[in-house]
Amino acid sequence: MTYPNTEETLNLLRALVSIPSPSGNTNEVITYVENFLKELKVETKRNRKGGLIATLPGKDQQNHRMLTAHVDTLGAIVKEIKPSGRLKLDLIGGFNFNSIEGEYCEIETSSGKKFTGTILMHQTSVHVYKDAGKAERNQDNMEVRLDEKVNNANDVRALGIEVGDFISFDPRVQILSSGFIKSRHLDDKASVAILLQLIKQVKKEAIELPYTTHFLISNNEEIGYGGNSNIPPETVEYLAVDMGAMGDGQSTDEYTVSICVKDASGPYHYELRKRLTQLAIDNQIGYKLDIYPYYGSDASAAIRSGNDIIHGLIGPGIDSSHAFERTHKDSIGNTAKLLYHYVQSEMIL
Ligand SMILES: [Zn+2]
């Protein structure tokens, strides 16, 4: 078995993080995924909110499985055009202004024109402002400096930029020979890349899956409701593949697959968690069990919206999540391996 082909997964990951897709503006990246699946001759359909569902028919067509990963990311939107010609931002998703200070960004107008800029604190220049270091970074003093000759709001509007235009952050992706991957939006495009490679592998090996298996590429997870709908009624197990959270007291690392036992929504399904752990043990896959304190997933969102499903959450470990993210190819490989065995395993019925 030549699986997982991590190099191919990383190339796909690079392509995915390079397509801007803040929650609310995901059509381009969903189209990319759709074309990838079309080439594999996998049946897909879009839901009304813009997500994509791919289905691989299995032996048992009465009991289904669903796996999901989200392709939407953190981002921002133009809140206000300041008299100075700078843009005020409103954030999309949960993160702090500190984590985007100094970041290059792209503004997409409603007609599709694209402009670049830099996200800065208003009082950045130390030669002019005394409090440059200490000032709190917040919506009032953080702004976008456009790379255009603009001196006032009218100049900006003349470019076609308006309130409501989407702002995406430069991912600055680097895939290093040490095996580390540094990039924004590894949450959760690393998992999307893993799921797409898994589908490709199932097709390549012509594996007959034990159960009909759906793959939902969700597009509203960062705002809480990407995977809480369009779950076929036959679905028994629903597994979210999303990042494992790292930090003080966390067992998740950048090398293993993180199996979540509990997050802010409560414990995940006990039997499914034990099954996933056993699969990791049986197949010599490096794993960690962990609790994510300030975290919710598309699987918990699905439960909350009233779906009677067995829910689980696993994923690669991501350092400094929702900020300067990094993982290692080992974590991607271990997550891929666990999923490969999971989709071929017996269900908890
Ligand atoms: Zn995520």
Side-chain angles (χ1 to χ4, degrees), residues 85 87 107 115-118 144-148 150 156 159 161:
L87 310 174
I107 298 95
F115 296 95
T116 63
T118 305
V144 175
R145 177 187 69 193
L146 282 168
D147 302 324
E148 296 291 328
V150 288
V156 175
L159 295 171
I161 293 174

Side-chain angles (χ1 to χ4, degrees), residues 186-307:
L186 292 177
D187 167 21
D188 185 27
K189 288 180 171 176
S191 306
V192 174
I194 292 168
L195 286 190
L196 293 179
Q197 282 295 121
L198 175 64
I199 294 171
K200 191 174 173 182
Q201 189 67 19
V202 169
K203 294 293 278 186
K204 194 170 130 191
E205 286 186 49
I207 296 169
E208 191 190 17
L209 296 176
Y211 308 95
T212 293
T213 304
H214 309 280
F215 296 83
L216 170 63
I217 307 302
S218 97
N219 68 330
N220 287 299
E221 192 275 348
E222 293 295 0
I223 45 178
Y225 54 84
N228 65 350
S229 69
N230 306 91
I231 300 166
E234 298 88 352
T235 303
V236 179
E237 289 182 4
Y238 182 103
L239 182 67
V241 187
D242 206 337
M243 50 149 274
M246 291 171 54
D248 290 343
Q250 297 297 104
S251 57
T252 299
D253 59 34
E254 290 165 281
Y255 314 110
T256 55
V257 53
S258 185
I259 300 174
C260 184
V261 302
K262 176 185 178 292
D263 66 13
S265 70
Y268 283 82
H269 195 280
Y270 194 21
E271 293 307 317
L272 180 56
R273 181 251 279 192
K274 287 196 286 191
R275 177 68 57 89
L276 289 162
T277 309
Q278 197 56 49
L279 281 170
I281 294 167
D282 293 346
N283 296 286
Q284 293 95 43
I285 297 163
Y287 75 96
K288 293 278 159 55
L289 294 173
D290 212 352
I291 293 168
Y292 312 152
Y294 309 112
Y295 195 110
S297 72
D298 267 339
S300 54
I303 286 273
R304 202 163 260 138
S305 61
N307 291 280

